[in-house]
Amino acid sequence: MSREHTNSVGLTAYPRAVLVRLAEKRAVWPLLALALILVVDGFISPEFFSIRIVEGHLFGSLVDVVYRSMPTAVVALGMAVVIGTKGIDLSVGAVIAICGAMITWRLHMGDPPLIVLGAALAAALLCGLWNGLLVALLDIQPIVATLILMVSGRGIAQMINLLYGGTDPSFSSDFFAAISTGHLAMLPSRLFVGAGIFALLWLLMRRTAFGLFVEAVGGNAAAADLAGIDAKMIKLAAYLVSGLCAGLAGVVITADTHTSDPVSAGLYIELDAILAVVIGGGSLAGGRVYLGLTLLGALIIQSLTTSILMSGVPPEYNLVVKALVVLIVLLLQSHKFRARIRRSARPAGKHLP
Amino acid sequence: MRSRNWLSGIVLGAGMVFAASAASAVTIGFSQVGDEGDWRPAFSKDMQDEAKKEGIDLKFADAQGKEENQLKAVRAFIAQRVDAIIIAPVVVTGWDQVLKEAKAANIPVFLADRDVDVADKSLYVTRISADFNLEGRLAGAWLAAASKGRCNIVELQGTTGSAPAIERKKGFESVIALFPDMKIVKSQSGDFTTDGGKKVMEAFIKATDGLKGICASFAHNDNMQLGAIQAMKEAGLHPGKDVLMVSVDYVPAMVTELKAGDANASVELRSAIGKYIYPVVLEYLKGKKDWPKWVKIPSDVHTAADVK
């Protein structure tokens, strides 16, 4: 692979070399995909890039994309860490449902908002602990271990809702509205929550040994163990991180519509989160964690969703269109695919001046 | 030894007396889909309450959304030799065999809510349910009157391909087709959820520059409309005033919005439908055998004026 690249760099003019080197930067292809989707959006709706101030905050489709991508992005960050350990967490959607039910239940019981927030995040951490124990201590395959909570979690959420009757699972709380749909310095407040989580995780992964340990465990758990890394503890910690991230997303999603909806809250978000990680260059084989690129992946997915909603495509085609675009993005990401395209394009390229 | 025989004789006798007393009341087996959403648990509770009122011995089975559970429940009802079976089907297909078994055992089957797809329609007596198409027509008729037949509409569709989404859309479109100046300008699926409705309405607001030129929002259920109301308020719009809001279901939260003036009309999907279902079953058992294949439960439009 690398020989082919040095050849082309050596033989061609300087700008081409820059392009080739750029093409090998991981961020380029996701960025290109995002740019393409946004350009198409510009054609679909001329209003797409306009950002105005409405009721004292920024308002526009671009703001929507960032705003709406936040829950998926936060879940995807936690997922990136778990996938880094060669694991996977399918239960995040169910954790979101459980958090929603916890919030609604405790608010109905009249707890102060901070206590409610604490209870919801504690429930999420407990879910993470459960997954972590199954995976790390009992050595159950992650996909099976987290499937248990994925299937049972929504039932647990429904049972929590029964604790207060559950006939009217809505609530009103200024505190939770402020976290989710409120604004701070003209920007949606949830973006600050998301940025805070990102900063914390980035510090944890890149400024402490934890990130190195995660990638070591994901790359080769046995070798990491021999090198003196406690692989079990690292895995357990990863599922705790993922649980907490899902919990925060659950708080934001629940506060968004101020209602607990155990059946559909965060439905299929695990798939979007995994997709964000993969678009961001993460490998399901573990050993790699790219937090920034994962955010980019979440943005791509949301901009795609938003543009489908804006475009007027009949809803029957939504999922097919989404699948096609995702396929194209992943093909762009693939070294093998790009190499094949380059090889088939080369004979034609020679005739050009 | 002898005393134990005596004892079992007494127990057996008591059991027979108990069975005989139960047999004097009408016994109906009811296989319910599950308990998803707000509507279905209310429907289940009403069926149980109404059964008590009518003196019916109701055997209730929750299929938890799975057809195999439902088939098991129906076969259990047949084995128990109930007088009649009511099924709220999970899915439309796969019913021929078990309905034939019920017919062979001479137990009449009634459908509630959803339809089934069987080759031989005589396998069930009738279907008793609301008419989704009528709900759509009622919503369209209300909107036509309220907008004087001139209206650009955004539509929040239910889950793509689901029967209520298809029929409510068809019914609504059939009415607005009568008015040349009424048309749906944007239509997307909000999956019947508050969250979905909110996201779709947010996109509509951006795509139409703050719902400029839009006169109404039609949602296939109240939950999506509740989400749409939130999205509009967050964008500084006034639902119910700038834009007419009409939806289907009439859930408690929608009543609150109607009172507050944030919504204008909601077509009721009744959950208290036991009083429409049991009379059909009881009359059939008494001898009235000629029922149309679909007994429709009437719908009603509720507006802000009704709830004040």
Side-chain angles (χ1 to χ4, degrees):
Chain A
M1 186 184 85
S2 63
R3 203 180 60 192
E4 189 186 290
H5 293 310
T6 39
N7 274 348
S8 57
V9 171
L11 289 175
T12 48
Y14 178 68
R16 173 100 193 264
V18 171
L19 274 181
V20 169
R21 207 170 303 156
L22 202 61
E24 293 314 309
K25 286 252 188 264
R26 275 193 306 268
V28 166
W29 297 103
L31 271 176
L32 189 71
L34 182 60
L36 270 177
I37 294 171
L38 292 180
V39 166
V40 172
D41 284 337
F43 283 108
I44 291 171
S45 161
E47 302 275 325
F48 193 85
F49 298 107
S50 89
I51 291 180
R52 310 177 268 138
I53 294 176
V54 171
E55 305 225 318
H57 52 80
L58 295 178
F59 178 93
S61 292
L62 282 178
V63 182
D64 266 12
V65 169
V66 184
Y67 172 79
R68 280 285 161 214
S69 69
M70 182 268 181
T72 313
V74 170
V75 171
L77 288 175
M79 188 71 78
V81 176
V82 169
I83 287 178
T85 68
K86 204 174 180 174
I88 202 147
D89 187 351
L90 298 181
S91 72
V92 286
V95 173
I96 287 171
I98 290 175
C99 267
M102 277 300 281
I103 291 171
T104 316
W105 171 45
R106 289 324 301 173
L107 281 174
H108 275 252
M109 293 295 117
D111 286 358
L114 274 177
I115 303 282
V116 176
L117 180 65
L121 294 182
L125 277 173
L126 199 64
C127 293
L129 184 68
W130 164 259
N131 286 331
L133 289 177
L134 290 184
V135 173
L137 294 189
L138 300 183
D139 239 354
I140 300 177
Q141 285 189 7
I143 199 164
V144 178
T146 57
L147 195 65
I148 295 170
L149 192 57
M150 177 193 183
V151 173
S152 60
R154 293 185 185 276
I156 294 171
Q158 280 174 323
M159 278 153 63
I160 295 174
N161 271 343
L162 288 180
L163 292 175
Y164 60 88
T167 48
D168 183 14
S170 63
F171 58 86
S172 69
S173 158
D174 293 339
F175 173 78
F176 281 100
I179 295 182
S180 181
T181 54
H183 291 84
L184 204 63
M186 306 220 318
L187 289 170
S189 51
R190 65 169 70 170
L191 296 188
F192 295 93
V193 178
I197 281 290
F198 176 74
L200 272 178
L201 274 181
W202 189 85
L203 286 175
L204 186 67
M205 295 301 290
R206 293 289 171 258
R207 287 291 174 268
T208 71
F210 181 71
L212 192 66
F213 291 167
V214 164
E215 297 191 337
V217 168
N220 188 334
D225 222 28
L226 288 176
I229 298 172
D230 189 345
K232 285 189 192 321
M233 281 313 288
I234 296 296
K235 284 184 185 171
L236 185 62
Y239 286 92
L240 282 174
V241 167
S242 175
L244 186 66
C245 285
L248 275 168
V251 170
V252 168
I253 288 175
T254 307
D256 194 341
T257 54
H258 22 95
T259 174
S260 156
D261 185 354
V263 178
S264 67
L267 195 62
Y268 303 137
I269 200 170
E270 59 278 352
L271 300 182
D272 274 352
I274 294 167
L275 187 59
V277 174
V278 172
I279 290 177
S283 158
L284 293 183
R288 289 191 256 159
V289 180
Y290 306 124
L291 295 178
L293 288 172
T294 299
L295 279 192
L296 196 53
L299 274 177
I300 289 176
I301 294 170
Q302 185 57 47
S303 59
L304 187 54
T305 309
T306 301
S307 32
I308 289 173
L309 289 182
M310 304 270 294
S311 65
V313 175
E316 289 81 359
Y317 300 113
N318 283 3
L319 296 175
V320 177
V321 172
K322 191 172 172 181
L324 275 178
V325 179
V326 165
L327 179 67
I328 293 169
V329 173
L330 291 180
L331 284 179
L332 277 177
Q333 288 266 61
S334 151
H335 288 290
K336 273 194 182 155
F337 180 78
R338 291 207 307 270
R340 183 157 295 179
I341 290 290
R342 216 172 300 143
R343 233 172 288 137
S344 61
R346 192 159 295 161
K350 270 180 181 163
H351 298 295
L352 290 174
Chain B
M1 199 60 201
R2 178 173 289 254
S3 68
R4 190 180 284 180
N5 276 341
W6 270 92
L7 195 65
S8 61
I10 290 169
V11 170
L12 189 70
M16 284 170 85
V17 169
F18 180 73
S21 73
S24 66
V26 172
T27 307
I28 297 178
F30 173 40
S31 170
Q32 174 64 290
V33 174
D35 61 353
E36 81 282 3
D38 304 335
W39 184 79
R40 205 163 288 279
F43 171 29
S44 296
K45 188 171 177 307
D46 177 70
M47 287 294 279
Q48 285 159 331
D49 292 349
E50 284 291 319
K52 256 181 225 143
K53 262 190 231 163
E54 299 269 359
I56 295 167
D57 177 17
L58 186 73
K59 298 192 180 305
F60 180 83
D62 180 341
Q64 294 172 338
K66 293 203 174 67
E67 186 176 27
E68 71 247 38
N69 290 345
Q70 196 153 40
L71 295 178
K72 258 184 238 159
V74 173
R75 292 205 166 100
F77 292 150
I78 296 172
Q80 293 166 32
R81 309 218 53 86
V82 295
D83 297 310
I85 297 173
I86 302 171
I87 305 172
V90 174
V91 290
V92 295
T93 51
W95 286 102
D96 294 84
Q97 183 55 39
V98 75
L99 292 189
K100 272 179 201 154
E101 289 168 29
K103 195 175 187 184
N106 257 326
I107 300 173
V109 173
F110 301 80
L111 306 176
D113 182 30
R114 299 179 191 169
D115 205 357
V116 300
D117 187 9
V118 285
D120 179 4
K121 290 278 178 198
S122 73
L123 288 177
Y124 65 90
V125 177
T126 180
R127 170 184 174 210
I128 309 145
S129 78
D131 180 356
F132 297 137
N133 193 289
L134 174 68
E135 289 160 4
R137 293 201 302 274
L138 274 172
W142 177 86
L143 186 59
S147 68
K148 302 186 177 66
R150 284 184 297 277
C151 196
N152 287 333
I153 302 152
V154 294
E155 181 186 37
L156 303 173
Q157 293 187 33
T159 303
T160 309
S162 69
I166 293 171
E167 288 303 319
R168 284 173 191 163
K169 185 174 178 58
K170 270 192 204 160
F172 184 80
E173 283 175 344
S174 71
V175 171
I176 66 165
L178 305 172
F179 300 88
D181 291 330
M182 287 182 85
K183 62 174 186 293
I184 295 173
V185 290
K186 288 265 169 198
S187 182
Q188 257 298 340
S189 169
D191 278 322
F192 283 131
T193 66
T194 310
D195 191 47
K198 187 169 186 177
K199 285 173 183 167
V200 171
M201 183 52 82
E202 274 176 9
F204 284 172
I205 290 171
K206 307 303 182 314
T208 56
D209 192 16
L211 297 180
K212 227 171 249 166
I214 302 297
C215 113
S217 161
F218 167 53
H220 289 186
N221 80 347
D222 282 347
N223 281 29
M224 290 191 291
Q225 193 79 308
L226 292 169
I229 289 170
Q230 290 175 11
M232 289 165 75
K233 282 185 175 169
E234 279 166 25
L237 300 167
H238 302 96
K241 292 163 198 85
D242 304 343
V243 175
L244 294 170
M245 310 294 284
V246 54
S247 52
V248 183
D249 269 1
Y250 198 56
V251 297
M254 183 49 78
V255 178
T256 316
E257 298 293 343
L258 286 170
K259 272 187 192 149
D262 293 330
N264 303 93
S266 178
V267 179
E268 180 173 6
L269 175 63
R270 288 171 210 271
S271 57
I273 52 178
K275 62 173 181 279
Y276 297 97
I277 295 173
Y278 289 131
V280 176
V281 179
L282 294 177
E283 279 182 47
Y284 179 88
L285 291 176
K286 275 181 204 146
K288 180 175 171 359
K289 304 287 180 191
D290 56 324
W291 289 93
K293 274 291 153 191
W294 188 6
V295 177
K296 290 179 188 176
I297 296 171
S299 297
D300 205 354
V301 184
H302 295 271
T303 61
D306 295 351
V307 295
K308 278 205 172 112

